[in-house]
Amino acid sequence: MQAQEGGREDLDDVLIEKIKNGNDHAFRILVEKYRNHIFYTVYGVLRNEKDAEDATQEVFLKIYTSLPQYEKQGFKTWITRIAVNHAIDIKRKQVRRQENQQVEYDETGHAPRAESVEFLVINKEKRELLRKRIKELPENYRSVVEDFYVKEKSYQEIAVKQNVQPKTIEVRLYRARQWMKKHWKEDDFS
């Protein structure tokens, strides 16, 4: 395993040198190699596919412009740090934008407090119902559904906990949703 890691780093270093010397094809190879890794890293923070796709492209632009500062300190770790930081920045901007919109909405006097409280109560009731119904799920789906929907963990966090790839978590959640659609009535949750 150690030799394989070292080989990957050596190949990355060769590609990076080519990129620094103006070889765009080398950058395309690097993008192709790490595209999924970067996507799932930012998706773990943003939890929205469209936002994650956009952020992935932005991260690769940042990587490209930051390559002159890269000092062979572990490329995958370095790009992961860039991806996580960028995703966190996007998330903060989204939260700030939502807060600003909420403040503007409240100031106009159109936001009845009871409605937002009602929404929160209904949401909580749905989560409680889901928490009870999770016991009906096949064992291999229970923990992933609970972690994602009840504990609101990201694919990345669940994958680390279960010692699997984020793609595995995505597949398990998909299959769990299919199972729920087949065995549970939609009225139970609406």
Side-chain angles (χ1 to χ4, degrees):
M1 181 70 186
Q2 194 69 17
Q4 187 180 8
E5 282 293 317
R8 182 184 301 150
E9 290 300 322
D10 292 343
L11 175 61
D12 291 346
D13 290 341
V14 169
L15 288 171
I16 291 164
E17 283 308 311
K18 287 182 176 183
I19 295 165
K20 286 180 179 179
N21 291 324
N23 185 330
D24 290 337
H25 181 69
F27 187 68
R28 275 187 237 118
I29 292 170
L30 214 56
V31 168
E32 191 61 35
K33 182 177 179 182
Y34 288 108
R35 182 182 57 204
N36 287 339
H37 172 72
I38 296 297
F39 174 81
Y40 285 113
T41 300
V42 296
Y43 184 84
V45 175
L46 300 174
R47 299 184 63 140
N48 176 296
E49 194 172 329
K50 175 77 173 97
D51 290 346
E53 287 171 2
D54 293 344
T56 298
Q57 291 179 357
E58 294 164 3
V59 166
F60 278 111
L61 282 173
K62 283 188 174 204
I63 290 168
Y64 186 79
T65 57
S66 301
L67 273 178
Q69 288 81 42
Y70 173 68
E71 297 175 359
K72 297 184 182 182
Q73 68 265 36
F75 186 69
K76 190 171 184 179
T77 304
W78 185 71
I79 64 173
T80 302
R81 194 174 320 119
I82 291 172
V84 168
N85 289 338
H86 184 67
I88 289 170
D89 288 345
I90 290 172
K91 193 74 170 173
R92 283 183 186 141
K93 287 176 187 172
Q94 289 173 341
V95 168
R96 253 183 269 133
R97 195 175 307 121
Q98 287 172 347
E99 287 171 353
N100 289 341
Q101 288 173 345
Q102 185 63 41
V103 168
E104 289 172 17
Y105 190 65
D106 286 348
E107 288 173 354
T108 61
H110 295 295
R113 292 275 174 210
E115 189 175 312
S116 56
V117 170
E118 180 182 342
F119 174 77
L120 291 173
V121 169
I122 290 171
N123 229 6
K124 184 178 180 191
E125 287 174 357
K126 284 183 183 178
R127 267 204 307 274
E128 287 301 317
L129 178 60
L130 179 60
R131 192 175 277 132
K132 289 176 187 169
R133 298 284 306 264
I134 283 176
K135 294 178 180 102
E136 299 172 15
L137 283 168
E139 195 172 322
N140 55 331
Y141 300 144
R142 269 184 226 145
S143 66
V144 74
V145 168
E146 184 173 12
D147 283 346
F148 188 77
Y149 289 106
V150 178
K151 296 179 182 172
E152 298 183 353
K153 292 184 177 181
S154 69
Y155 284 11
Q156 192 74 28
E157 291 169 322
I158 300 168
V160 168
K161 176 183 169 190
Q162 295 190 9
N163 198 23
V164 295
Q165 294 294 316
K167 188 71 177 170
T168 304
I169 299 304
E170 184 180 348
V171 169
R172 286 181 187 164
L173 274 171
Y174 173 79
R175 290 180 180 160
R177 285 186 204 107
Q178 297 304 312
W179 189 94
M180 288 185 276
K181 283 179 187 175
K182 185 176 178 185
H183 293 88
W184 294 348
K185 291 183 294 213
E186 195 172 319
D187 296 345
D188 294 344
F189 295 94
S190 52

